[in-house]
Amino acid sequence: MCRSKVAVSLTSFALLCCGLALAEEPPRYGFGRPATEAEINAWNIDIAPDGTGLPSGRGTVTKGAAVYAAKCASCHGATGIEGPQTRLVGGQGSLATDKPVKTIGSFWPYATTLYDYIYRAMPLTEPQSLTSDEVYAVVAWLLHTNGIISAESTIDANTLPHARMPNRNGFVSDPRPDLSKSMQRE
Amino acid sequence: MPVLGAIDKGSPMSQQNEGKVVSSELDGNNPVGRRAWLISAVATIGATAASVIAPSLLPAAEQSDTDPTRVPGRMPSPYGARASAETARRLTTATHSLTPHQSLHGIVTPSALHFERHHNGVPAIHPDRHRLLIHGLVERPLVFSMADLTRFPSVTRMLFIECSGNSGKEWKGPTGKMVQETHGLMSTSEWTGVPLSTVLAEAGIKPDAAWVLAEGSDAAAMTRSLPLAEVLKEALLCYGQNGEALRPEQGYPLRLVIPGWEGNTCIKWLRRLKLGAMPFMTREETSRYTDLMPDGTARQFSFAMEAKSVITSPSGGQQIEPGFVEIRGLAWSGRGAVTGVEVSTDGGRTWDQARLQEPVFPRCHTRFRFDWRWNGTEAILQSRCTDETGYVQPARAALVAARGVNSSYHYNAIQTWQVSPDGQVTNVQV
């Protein structure tokens, strides 16, 4: 008697588990094929804020000045201010004014994003053409020119995640909707 | 050349070209084959050739505006084109193009007029070579071809896509002349694809996955980090737009479409989905598509496009005549269905309900209409919509009071068009 009750409850438990597993595991169709390590590595170019994904290599501010002059200055200006494309330098303290200037120094919250974006998308005419040493170097120059690291600094996979960006805490989650219904009707 | 095939249907050359000369085969059995050929030749070769051919040989329709019931029309064509008198076109810049809503009807944007925003050009991608990689916090990293993706159970939905910068120039004042300029960074299509949830289940989502990085195979390798629980609800991996394959400008051959979210999250030319525990904090979600507030903080991951409407006719740059005028416009909300649109012709002092064209789809453009008799005096036209959450599109003053004028994105204030006594319509802010 006792024994059969246990058996029944065990069976129920097994059925329940089975049911849960079915509920949680959607049907699979068997489409697609396993990705190879080589395929993943070829496209896995994102860099996380903790530095995950950063490659080997290194760059100095001095080397970065040369890379910047050769590859970036024609669009962003000799000192990163003149343009004609996006301004990269300065603007710190301007975000709460009537004329905010959003730059790497005034606005960007993570230094790692510089590596990710510059390698991924720059220069506009030759994206993904810079070597890791060139990217580290131009990141070093941009951080230095924005007053974030010293002229003697070297940037690599170990140092970049620790560069302290001035606007690191400047972002908030989306609180919308902004307006109460009564405000909207006014 | 169709011309050769038509002249000598039996020649070896026409046999070789058989696949390209469908019209000549029809001509062979057609008693007016010669005239049809002339029409076809004129249509194919163009005006230069037409002017070379002696006028006496031309069909009447090519000489003057005669009755089209007296001359055979042109032959069927393999891929259609609009009437030659139709000239609505996108306004283009280096980075985007704008939909001419002042010229469109209903809710569907023709694929050829769907707005564009891209970050380093439109890539040329052969669908047979395109791959989607899914990796990161998944049980089984997988690669899919387009043929694989189109085998999954599919879904079709009518959805708007709106750039978060749509109407962005209006933050600083009434900038756009036409509705194409003020509201041209949005369009509606019928989208077909496979639910993102279906494809991710194939790879097996690990329990600690909370974000997904979507990446395009354009020259910006455009990326966004997206909260997994949210995008698993409704996001689609789309390969179809308005019944055919996506247009190249819309992400051919594969685009992520997230109903109701800002357009930049709907990654085009999608090649990679990487699941992670935290947002990846790419440039697009840190320094780019974030909304600066007057206190200097910036809102991040502001995905939903809130309720908004605009009168597309009469609208800026148009001219109206006294008498009956049907006021027409579009309303939409990224948070669901539009439940009502009100129209004012007196600058917001009084409001009347507009008619909504059924069916009303959630997160889709909704066409509204309002019967009006213009008496020839100055009028101030506005529309204001409400969505299923109860949210009411705000007046400009209320929106600016809440957000200032430097947030660049998510401008959804009531749009105002002024009709002057001479019937001219202009963009104003009240």
Side-chain angles (χ1 to χ4, degrees), chain A residues 28-33 35 43-44 46 98 108 113 117 120 124 127 170-172 174 176 178-179 184-185, chain B residues 120 140-141 143 151 202 215 221 223 271-272 274 281 283 286-287 297-300 304 384 392 394 410:
Chain A
R28 283 173 59 191
Y29 298 89
F31 303 157
R33 60 167 175 78
W43 284 0
N44 191 22
D46 56 275
D98 288 343
W108 286 47
T113 309
Y117 185 68
R120 173 187 301 281
L124 205 64
F171 292 82
V172 297
D174 179 12
R176 296 176 303 160
D178 284 312
L179 307 164
Q184 290 169 31
R185 287 283 179 185
Chain B
N120 200 2
R140 299 168 291 278
V143 173
R151 290 178 72 190
E202 203 71 10
E215 183 180 271
T223 52
R271 77 166 185 185
R272 187 164 74 105
K274 180 179 181 180
M281 299 297 183
R283 178 255 198 175
T286 53
S287 68
T297 64
R299 294 176 177 179
Q300 194 176 26
R384 173 173 78 182
V392 182
H410 292 283

Side-chain angles (χ1 to χ4, degrees), chain B residues 323-338:
Chain B
F324 178 79
V325 175
E326 186 179 67
I327 294 176
R328 302 163 179 160
L330 293 169
W332 64 99
S333 170
R335 299 197 197 273
V338 169

